[in-house]
Amino acid sequence: MNDAPESPGPSIDAVPTRYGDTTFRSRLEADWAATLDNYDIQWQYEPETITLDSGALYIPDFWLPELGTWIEVKGPGVPRTEKAKELAQARACRCEVNCVCRWPGGEFLLIGRPSLASDRTEIGHRPRSGYANWETPFGPSTYFVKCPGCTRAQWTTLGRPWRCRTCRASLEKEQLHRPVDRFVRFINSASSVGSLFAMPDLGEPFTAAELGLDEEADDNFFHAGF
Ligand SMILES: [Zn+2]
Ligand SMILES: [Zn+2]
């Protein structure tokens, strides 16, 4: 989000936000860091300035050193993703048959979006900050999966080679989750600082209104009161 020439102006998220030892350029970036922490995904914030083939300088927001994955966080006010797209194309795998890249499929780039809101169809507790939302610069067909071998959470596509980006174990299709599956909780960085030994954040219980119990509650009150 630091690629100033692409930014039309400050977005609603562009407030410097501290999380852990890092000051992020936006609240959304800090929330993505907290979300990565929640899934035990190692991350580095803006570790490298990359000169693209076009000559443009680009500093992606996150590098995930165990997954060979970049994350470019994009809020609603900064929709342009040209630099991310160029980097994704430059670092993608070009192996003909068997992939011999350091990372299966080459380096991967994810666009991190603002979270999806919770809805009323979920059972139990809803996450306070909703669900993580992502895509690639080329389309939405990116999946979140936990490797059955090393248990590392990661993002992948259905393109070959379909292997864990860390241990190269084969991934299982039934474990795949899309943002719309509402599986990956998005974490509010402000509520998770110093919570290493705290109870997991289960979110807030559903209200009676959300569970469709409003009328019943009203009836009870009516009978009790009169
Ligand atoms: Zn390859
Ligand atoms: Zn693995």
Side-chain angles (χ1 to χ4, degrees):
M1 291 239 281
N2 47 302
D3 38 359
E6 286 189 1
S7 302
S11 79
I12 55 169
D13 290 303
V15 177
T17 302
R18 191 153 181 87
Y19 167 71
D21 295 328
T22 308
T23 300
F24 295 88
R25 294 174 192 275
S26 70
R27 166 72 182 279
L28 183 60
E29 291 178 353
D31 288 350
W32 264 96
T35 300
L36 293 169
D37 281 347
N38 191 54
Y39 287 94
D40 292 325
I41 297 172
Q42 287 188 22
W43 53 267
Q44 299 167 354
Y45 181 63
E46 297 188 346
E48 194 179 339
T49 300
I50 295 168
T51 303
L52 298 169
D53 290 343
S54 65
L57 294 180
Y58 177 39
I59 307 177
D61 294 317
F62 292 96
W63 168 246
L64 314 182
E66 291 186 320
L67 302 176
T69 297
W70 302 95
I71 298 182
E72 177 64 29
V73 174
K74 286 289 185 189
V78 276
R80 300 182 65 179
T81 55
E82 281 81 357
K83 291 181 182 179
K85 192 169 190 169
E86 187 178 348
L87 180 66
Q89 284 171 332
R91 302 288 177 92
C93 170
R94 286 175 179 75
C95 302
E96 290 289 334
V97 183
N98 294 316
C99 178
V100 294
C101 297
R102 165 75 180 82
W103 310 102
E107 291 178 16
F108 188 62
L109 189 142
L110 192 76
I111 305 286
R113 294 292 187 184
S115 64
L116 298 166
S118 185
D119 66 27
R120 298 179 186 184
T121 65
E122 299 138 33
I123 299 164
H125 291 69
R126 73 180 163 212
R128 291 177 207 283
S129 306
Y131 296 89
N133 187 18
W134 64 81
E135 64 196 46
T136 70
F138 308 103
S141 54
T142 304
Y143 301 85
F144 185 80
V145 62
K146 276 192 181 176
C147 171
C150 69
T151 73
R152 281 189 177 81
Q154 58 198 277
W155 285 270
T156 188
T157 68
L158 292 182
R160 66 160 186 98
W162 212 43
R163 298 198 167 274
C164 171
R165 301 184 62 79
T166 300
C167 78
R168 292 185 176 256
S170 185
L171 298 175
E172 295 170 11
K173 243 173 199 162
E174 59 270 24
Q175 292 193 342
L176 294 176
H177 298 280
R178 303 160 298 169
V180 72
D181 293 329
R182 299 177 172 276
F183 174 80
V184 182
R185 288 176 174 230
F186 201 62
I187 305 298
N188 179 338
S189 57
S191 69
S192 57
V193 175
S195 64
L196 190 61
F197 300 106
M199 291 292 289
D201 181 3
L202 294 176
E204 301 158 336
F206 288 104
T207 64
E210 286 170 329
L211 292 171
L213 299 176
D214 246 3
E215 288 177 29
E216 192 184 326
D218 286 347
D219 285 346
N220 289 342
F221 178 78
F222 182 82
H223 293 306
F226 297 90

